[in-house]
Amino acid sequence: MLAQKAAALEVAQAKLETAKMSAEQAEAHVQTLLAAYASTEASTVAAAADANKVHGDLVRNQDLIASGAISRQDYQHSQSDATSSEASLESKKKQMQAAAAYTEEGRKQAGSAKAQASAAEAEVTEAQAELHQAQLQKSYSEITAPEAGRVTNKSVEPGDYVQTGQPLFAIVPEKIW
């Protein structure tokens, strides 16, 4: 039983190490997701700037087409560029939302991994207590004599039932007075 409790303690300690590693990995994943979010955010800012520029070009080209300073084809290109730029900006905004959702999911996974690590710590504590209890129970089963000597007046045989306080044998010390 003592070996079983010691093995259970080792298993609990291994689970704790695994849970700690999972928590560290989840935290690293959150950092990666935050970096991806920052990258997407920067990309969105760039897309917004581009959309602003293209929209400004379109407004200027509307005045120029009215006066005949640019061709109809150039104006249509400006319109297409503006539409494309707006679509690109919307796509970047959606990517930001997805990155934010992934980051939140990663944070929750990291929290879950930390909770599992805490549970594993509790299992280790419980296994240590059970091992200590088993060691204590084993110490109760060991019979020790107050001093070394020879057994005499033995009144017990293997398999006999004994009562609490029942004398089983006497010990005669090695030293004679």
Side-chain angles (χ1 to χ4, degrees):
M1 182 162 148
L2 193 60
Q4 183 182 17
K5 296 298 180 182
L9 176 60
E10 287 181 23
V11 168
Q13 288 171 331
K15 283 182 183 179
L16 174 61
E17 288 303 312
T18 300
K20 283 182 179 179
M21 291 294 178
S22 291
E24 288 175 14
Q25 183 181 16
E27 192 58 42
H29 185 63
V30 167
Q31 295 305 317
T32 301
L33 291 172
L34 287 171
Y37 178 81
S39 173
T40 304
E41 186 177 35
S43 178
T44 302
V45 169
D50 186 51
N52 244 357
K53 177 192 166 290
V54 172
H55 183 67
D57 289 346
L58 179 62
V59 169
R60 281 186 296 281
N61 285 344
Q62 283 173 340
D63 293 338
L64 293 175
I65 192 75
S67 67
I70 63 167
S71 70
R72 186 114 185 107
Q73 183 181 12
D74 286 342
Y75 179 71
Q76 287 173 346
H77 284 245
S78 286
Q79 284 179 320
S80 294
D81 288 346
T83 303
S84 173
S85 183
E86 286 295 323
S88 178
L89 177 59
E90 283 304 309
S91 172
K92 296 296 181 183
K93 286 179 180 178
K94 296 292 182 193
Q95 287 176 0
M96 263 186 69
Q97 290 173 349
Y102 286 140
T103 302
E104 185 59 29
E105 178 185 353
R107 283 189 176 127
K108 288 181 180 181
Q109 287 175 344
S112 173
K114 287 176 184 176
Q116 288 175 350
S118 294
E121 283 181 28
E123 285 181 27
V124 167
T125 302
E126 181 182 14
Q128 287 172 334
E130 287 177 0
L131 177 62
H132 177 70
Q133 184 64 28
Q135 289 169 335
L136 191 61
Q137 292 294 327
K138 183 179 180 229
S139 73
Y140 294 157
S141 68
E142 296 171 358
I143 300 173
T144 57
E147 62 181 289
R150 291 175 295 165
V151 174
T152 61
N153 296 334
K154 182 175 138 193
S155 64
V156 66
E157 294 298 326
D160 286 352
Y161 289 99
V162 295
Q163 300 296 320
T164 304
Q166 174 185 348
L168 304 175
F169 51 83
I171 296 179
V172 176
E174 297 281 335
K175 244 185 192 181
I176 301 179
W177 304 20

